[in-house]
């Protein structure tokens, strides 16, 4: 198949192929699905390892005889690592490539999780959660960027959201697996599984994970690799031997973060940061403390982990359900999602007298908060140009991680003051309302 479409060739050049236009003109093919699945596998393990500490928290507190709410610093330590990883490795990937950072990050969080098996006190647990978080934080924005850059624009949000469902599935499976492993083998077995998984995945990733096609075209001098990747995107495609491959976007110099505020991007960047901050504050407050709150209400440790996992199960369903609407209605759909999230979170506290009702409310909260967060990732990746895409997603996630650090600490303080479920989850609904307001302003900006 020869490249002949006018919008795939850069006007005024000889055999210069516009890579984004070429990809946008194609249907989603087998190679793009393969890239999506490989990145989803990374985020599957990422989700499992990120949420593991929340599921084992009641068992750790019982074994070490810790006071109620005292694991807040442990939760926040992992999230501190996630924040640093996203802030540092996002911009680094825009300079050296998505693939290298994903591989290195997977190695780091695998080692950190595996070493957690051997901890004997909160000091070492905090240190290893920071190390693990560095890897987890580096992998996520680059998996988003890589999937985005192989996806046609009309389906980009949907494909990124489907890929990101790997995180929610891994996090949900973590709860179900913890419910089975902890009674039989103890809480350390959860980290053994979580550490071996990424290390066993690494050889497969090394072979199967491609570099971003847009990144290669942007840096130049890699035309043969770009041609090979485009021929995988469209089997049978052919290009002249003299063909060069370009991305019609400026090559930005200087500090990547500064470009997030250049050329009219500043206000959108700040609004995105508000959405991420509030969304992740809510998500991690709920995901870390739900099992503990349920356990306090008389639910067993294993049942609390299973019910708490409904937050991520709801997120998986929300991700697959919301993708089409996000592609079609963008930030308007996101604003409505967070508005419903606020109602669902408040309902968790009001339904705490009934296991059935609280499970439904937790599922609905996950549908909207996790689904909304994944939609935010997809929309952010779409907004920024190739040269700063990992930086844009990484810094949005990094700023959001400040919220995710505060969320568990706020939850711990409220629980330490013996705050009941109704005021606790009523307060947790406020960040979702603020995220909805910021998304509404983004929608009004067009």
């Amino acid at each position: 198949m020869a490249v002949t479409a006018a919008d795939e060739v850069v006007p005024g050049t000889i055999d210069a192929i516009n890579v984004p236009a070429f990809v946008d003109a194609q249907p989603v093919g087998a190679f793009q699905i393969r890239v999506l699945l490989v990145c989803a596998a990374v985020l599957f393990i990422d989700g499992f390892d990120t949420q593991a500490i929340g599921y084992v928290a009641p068992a750790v507190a019982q074994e070490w005889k810790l006071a109620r709410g005292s694991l807040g610093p442990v939760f926040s330590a992992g999230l501190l690592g996630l924040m640093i990883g996203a802030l540092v490795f996002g911009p680094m990937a825009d300079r050296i490539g998505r693939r290298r950072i994903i591989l290195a990050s997977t190695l780091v969080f695998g080692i950190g999780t595996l070493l957690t098996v051997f901890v004997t006190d909160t000091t070492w647990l905090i240190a290893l959660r920071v190390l693990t978080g560095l890897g987890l934080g580096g992998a996520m924005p680059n998996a988003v960027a890589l999937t985005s850059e192989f996806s046609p624009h009309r389906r980009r949000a949907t494909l990124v959201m489907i890929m990101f469902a790997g995180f929610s599935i891994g996090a949900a499976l973590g709860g179900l697996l913890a419910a089975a492993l902890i009674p039989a083998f103890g809480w350390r077995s959860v980290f053994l599984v979580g550490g071996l998984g990424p290390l066993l995945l690494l050889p497969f990733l090394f072979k199967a994970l491609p570099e971003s096609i847009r990144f290669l075209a942007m840096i130049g001098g890699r035309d043969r690799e770009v041609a090979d990747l485009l021929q995988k995107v469209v089997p049978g495609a052919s290009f002249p031997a003299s063909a060069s491959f370009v991305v019609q976007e400026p090559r930005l110099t200087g500090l990547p973060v500064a470009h997030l505020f250049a050329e009219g991007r500043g206000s959108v960047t700040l609004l995105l940061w508000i959405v991420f901050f509030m969304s992740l504050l809510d998500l991690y407050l709920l995901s870390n403390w739900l099992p503990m709150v349920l356990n306090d209400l008389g639910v067993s440790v294993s049942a609390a982990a299973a019910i708490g996992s409904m937050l991520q199960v709801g997120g998986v369903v929300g991700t697959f359900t919301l993708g089409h609407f996000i592609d079609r209605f963008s930030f308007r759909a996101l604003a409505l999602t967070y508005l419903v999230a606020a109602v669902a979170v408040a309902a968790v506290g009001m339904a705490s007298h009934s296991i059935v009702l609280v499970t439904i409310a937790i599922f609905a909260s996950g549908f909207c908060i996790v689904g909304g967060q994944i939609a935010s990732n997809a929309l952010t990746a779409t907004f920024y140009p190739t040269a700063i895409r990992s930086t844009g997603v990484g810094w949005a996630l990094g700023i959001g991680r400040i919220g995710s650090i505060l969320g568990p600490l706020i939850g711990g303080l409220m629980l330490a003051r013996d705050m009941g479920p109704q005021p606790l989850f009523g307060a947790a609904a406020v960040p979702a309302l603020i995220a909805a307001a910021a998304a509404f302003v983004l929608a009004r900006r067009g």
Side-chain angles (χ1 to χ4, degrees):
M1 172 181 152
V3 179
T4 58
D7 62 349
E8 294 168 7
V9 180
V10 178
T13 62
I14 300 175
D15 297 332
I17 310 301
N18 184 337
V19 171
F22 182 92
V23 173
D24 287 345
Q26 312 304 323
V28 176
F31 182 73
Q32 287 141 306
I33 297 298
R34 173 185 154 190
V35 172
L36 182 154
L37 292 175
V38 172
C39 290
V42 174
L43 291 196
F44 175 88
I45 303 294
D46 193 314
F48 185 101
D49 286 356
T50 298
Q51 299 303 128
I53 189 64
Y55 296 129
V56 306
V60 173
Q62 288 177 11
E63 180 179 315
W64 291 354
K65 298 180 173 55
L66 300 175
R68 191 171 183 257
S70 62
L71 283 174
V74 174
F75 296 149
S76 293
L79 298 171
L80 174 65
L82 279 160
M83 179 188 74
I84 297 170
L87 294 176
V88 172
F89 293 123
M92 189 179 296
D94 281 327
R95 294 189 179 277
I96 69 171
R98 315 335 182 186
R99 183 177 184 274
R100 292 179 183 177
I101 296 298
I102 292 174
L103 291 173
S105 297
T106 303
L107 176 63
V108 169
F109 74 72
I111 291 173
T113 304
L114 189 60
L115 290 176
T116 307
V117 173
F118 305 103
V119 299
T120 56
D121 57 46
T122 55
T123 300
W124 276 107
L125 186 55
I126 287 171
L128 286 174
R129 289 310 293 173
V130 172
L131 174 65
T132 303
L134 288 173
L136 296 169
M140 186 180 293
N142 288 291
V144 171
L146 186 61
T147 303
S148 172
E149 289 164 352
F150 274 101
S151 302
H153 186 271
R154 65 189 178 280
R155 300 296 303 278
R156 189 168 299 153
T158 297
L159 293 176
V160 171
M161 290 183 70
I162 292 171
M163 182 279 298
F164 211 97
F167 182 92
S168 299
I169 294 170
L173 181 63
L176 300 175
L177 193 59
L181 288 175
I182 292 172
F185 304 105
W187 61 266
R188 297 173 193 276
S189 61
V190 177
F191 291 109
L192 179 63
V193 172
L196 290 176
L199 298 180
L200 293 174
L201 183 66
L202 264 176
F204 169 75
L205 292 179
F206 190 84
K207 181 178 180 180
L209 191 70
E211 183 51 90
S212 161
I213 195 168
R214 290 196 184 198
F215 173 80
L216 292 174
M218 177 69 75
I219 62 175
R222 309 283 286 273
D223 288 340
R224 188 64 262 161
E225 293 173 63
V226 176
D228 289 343
L229 286 171
L230 288 179
Q231 286 169 335
K232 291 177 180 178
V233 171
V234 184
S238 61
F239 305 98
S242 59
S244 61
F245 300 89
V246 299
V247 176
Q248 285 191 296
E249 299 172 4
R251 292 190 65 176
L252 305 176
T253 59
L255 190 65
V257 178
H259 292 289
L260 302 181
F261 297 89
E263 299 178 14
R265 289 187 284 263
S267 59
V268 174
T269 292
L270 291 174
L271 286 165
L272 286 170
W273 287 3
I274 291 171
V275 171
F276 275 71
F277 181 93
M278 294 299 170
S279 178
L280 288 172
L281 186 155
D282 233 6
L283 176 57
Y284 281 89
L285 187 156
L286 293 172
S287 61
N288 281 298
W289 287 116
L290 270 173
M292 186 75 78
V293 172
L294 292 168
N295 186 235
D296 287 347
L297 292 173
V299 179
S300 69
V301 170
S302 59
I307 295 170
S309 72
M310 288 300 104
L311 187 75
Q312 300 297 339
V313 173
V316 173
V317 177
T319 298
F320 286 107
T321 304
L322 292 171
H324 171 73
F325 296 101
I326 296 297
D327 264 325
R328 185 173 179 183
F329 299 109
S330 189
F331 287 106
R332 286 178 290 168
L334 187 65
L336 179 61
T337 298
Y338 280 120
L339 184 61
V340 177
V343 176
V345 171
V348 173
M350 292 185 285
S352 59
H353 61 281
S354 167
I355 293 297
V356 173
L357 291 178
V358 81
T359 301
I360 293 171
I362 291 170
F363 177 90
S365 299
F367 183 100
C368 295
I369 293 178
V370 178
Q373 178 57 49
I374 293 173
S376 300
N377 294 333
L379 290 172
T380 302
T382 300
F383 173 72
Y384 291 109
T386 302
I388 55 170
R389 182 165 290 119
S390 283
T391 300
V393 176
W395 270 72
L397 283 166
I399 296 299
R401 293 302 177 189
I402 299 174
S404 71
I405 293 166
L406 293 176
L409 292 175
I410 292 169
L413 288 172
M414 288 191 287
L415 287 171
R417 295 183 179 185
D418 293 321
M419 184 176 287
Q422 206 160 333
L424 173 67
F425 292 104
V430 174
L433 279 175
I434 298 172
F440 177 75
V441 175
L442 284 166
R444 291 291 298 271
R445 290 181 59 88

